[in-house]
Amino acid sequence: FWILNCVRNNRLRDTLSLVLVASATIAGLLGFYQAWSNGVHQAFRLEGTMSVYMTFAGILMMAGILACGWIFFRRPAPPWLWMAAGIITVCLLLTLTRQAWFGFLIGFGFLVFFWRKKILLFLSILIIVSFFAFLESEHTPCYSCGPLNSVKTRVKEMISGEDATLAMRVNLWQVGWKVFKDYPLTGCGFRCVDLVNDQYPDPYRDKTGDGH
């Protein structure tokens, strides 16, 4: 609402967009410094200018999509914007935050769909082929063997089903869908999860360590 009330013309809109991208780029460079100083691993996730890596990854995700949208649809795009998009995207990858990765891919695919539909098909095939080639490559899980190995470990934990945090998220999605099917019109009331939790046992109890 603040943006809608304040951005009265296209020039101000463009300035605000570029300031956001530039700020995210500077934050991404700080993220690179953190990666160089402390490595890229689960014990130390890149936080950039934020207090937690998830917030940092979310900001990079949104700013990266904004930069890509400018490059695709605003011609000519400033040369520095290409470099900014690369810095933001690589730093986002190094945060090891899979939800932000997924959000970026969805947003990027949406932009490509309206930019060049034929390229989207090629891009989808390329991603799928690269993904399976990535999984088939020999790799010993390791978070202290460099950035690329840390990213590989993060992805393989997700695919293997051995990641406890992913198991908890999948459980939440499954239980949420079951609750919706059981109470499609009225819901289950205030403090819903506390009231109906016992009706939906955790299928991942052994992995999450509890039944909730």
Side-chain angles (χ1 to χ4, degrees):
F1 293 107
W2 178 82
I3 293 176
L4 291 176
N5 289 327
C6 293
V7 178
R8 301 290 186 179
N9 55 65
N10 291 341
R11 182 177 180 181
L12 185 57
R13 178 202 63 192
D14 294 347
T15 301
L16 182 62
S17 299
L18 292 177
V19 167
L20 177 59
V21 173
S23 300
T25 303
I26 295 173
L29 292 174
L30 177 59
F32 286 165
Y33 173 75
Q34 293 173 344
W36 178 74
S37 300
N38 302 286
V40 179
H41 45 77
Q42 284 278 58
F44 183 87
R45 308 278 286 275
L46 305 186
E47 298 176 351
T49 54
M50 302 297 166
S51 60
V52 65
Y53 64 88
M54 291 181 289
T55 305
F56 183 47
I59 295 296
L60 292 177
M61 175 190 70
M62 293 186 290
I65 291 298
L66 180 59
C68 291
W70 190 292
I71 291 171
F72 289 163
F73 300 106
R74 295 294 302 274
R75 298 300 180 87
W80 69 268
L81 205 57
W82 291 85
M83 182 176 65
I87 291 173
I88 292 171
T89 303
V90 173
C91 190
L92 173 61
L93 188 65
L94 297 181
T95 63
L96 305 180
T97 308
R98 293 169 301 195
Q99 301 98 311
W101 294 352
F102 185 68
F104 182 85
L105 284 176
I106 294 297
F108 187 79
F110 182 82
L111 292 176
V112 173
F113 176 79
F114 285 99
W115 180 54
R116 297 285 191 275
K117 292 182 176 64
K118 293 181 180 179
I119 295 180
L120 180 61
L121 177 60
F122 172 77
L123 182 64
S124 301
I125 295 174
L126 180 63
I127 291 175
I128 293 174
V129 172
S130 300
F131 181 74
F132 281 103
F134 179 86
L135 291 181
E136 292 298 325
S137 63
E138 292 293 331
H139 170 62
T140 301
C142 178
Y143 278 111
S144 59
C145 303
L148 182 58
N149 281 297
S150 295
V151 172
K152 286 183 178 181
T153 297
R154 191 69 171 148
V155 173
K156 287 205 169 186
E157 284 179 348
M158 177 179 62
I159 301 301
S160 67
E162 298 176 357
D163 186 354
T165 59
L166 179 63
M168 286 188 285
R169 291 187 180 96
V170 171
N171 183 37
L172 288 173
W173 299 331
Q174 291 176 337
V175 170
W177 177 246
K178 290 178 181 178
V179 171
F180 172 75
K181 290 193 296 183
D182 291 343
Y183 306 91
L185 297 179
T186 62
C188 52
F190 181 64
R191 296 180 65 87
C192 172
V193 175
D194 293 338
L195 293 173
V196 303
N197 180 67
D198 293 338
Q199 301 177 27
Y200 306 96
D202 184 2
Y204 300 99
R205 179 184 297 270
D206 294 338
K207 295 181 180 179
T208 60
D210 56 51
H212 301 85

